[in-house]
Amino acid sequence: MALKLMYITNHPEIAVIAENAGVDRVFVDMEYIGKSQRQRGMDTVQSHHTVEDVKKIREVLHTAQLIVRVNPIHDAAGNECSSEEEINAVIEAGADFVMLPYFQTTEEVEKCVGIVKGRAKVFPLLESKAAVAEIDEILKISGIDEIHVGLNDLSLDLKKKFMFELLADGTVEKLCQKFREKGIPYGFGGIGRLGKGELPAEHVIKEHYRLGSTCAILSRSFCNADQITDLHEVKEIFEKGVKEIRTLEAECADHRRYFTDNEEMVREKVEAIVERR
């Protein structure tokens, strides 16, 4: 099954381009609480999208699902509404998925599930050392629909120098095994365009297939719509980039089928040999 590709934007015209190019999920990012502190000095995306952005994107989508990343669990303070108010607002605005970032405890995920109450899918974003330590308890919670490993913030919390160290050192693989055992669909990290970046996207995509991942975020390096203002150019990037990803995925799927088919053949032949003896 092809990866569900996700792209962050609050621009309706970009959302339409992404959807038409084959992006499966458009991602409105409302998270800002605590984000600047933990990512201080890094060239990362801090979107500050709003509930109004959720409404605007919902209006233009036809086939793509709408994910909204809310803030970590918090109480009302000053001009900030509570998590309950925020989550209720994004569901009313049309969110298909509520993504909970940077949770630390089982209780935070339980609270999110309790607020959502089945009105949308709950999509925790695992990106803290504390949550990794508590992941076995977290995965016992009924109501987690999917889970994603946020490599950037998790690598910062684990004092890594490069976010893909978590892919190379087995951290992601161990987490994926836990998700798989619970039957929870999962994904990790982001991917850029093929052939680009210090670790080119094709290597990361092959790891998604090896580890049984079902989704990936198209990163800012895939298409930085804040810098590229020509919509025709944006359209070309999405069409070409998504097509290249899907072509590579077909190759990955063929290889996976090769070993799956061989496993089935071995089982059948062994059974036949055993029956003859």
Side-chain angles (χ1 to χ4, degrees), residues 136-147:
D136 290 329
E137 290 302 310
I138 290 168
L139 293 178
K140 292 178 183 177
I141 299 170
S142 177
I144 295 175
D145 295 288
E146 294 192 28
I147 194 164

Side-chain angles (χ1 to χ4, degrees), residues 119-162:
R119 296 173 294 162
K121 293 185 182 298
V122 176
F123 198 175
L125 179 61
L126 178 62
E127 49 186 350
S128 74
K129 179 180 178 180
V132 170
E134 206 166 325
I135 192 61
D136 290 329
E137 290 302 310
I138 290 168
L139 293 178
K140 292 178 183 177
I141 299 170
S142 177
I144 295 175
D145 295 288
E146 294 192 28
I147 194 164
H148 199 83
V149 181
L151 296 183
N152 189 52
D153 275 352
L154 183 55
S155 66
L156 290 175
D157 215 17
L158 292 172
K159 310 301 182 188
K160 302 292 185 180
K161 294 181 179 179
F162 181 45

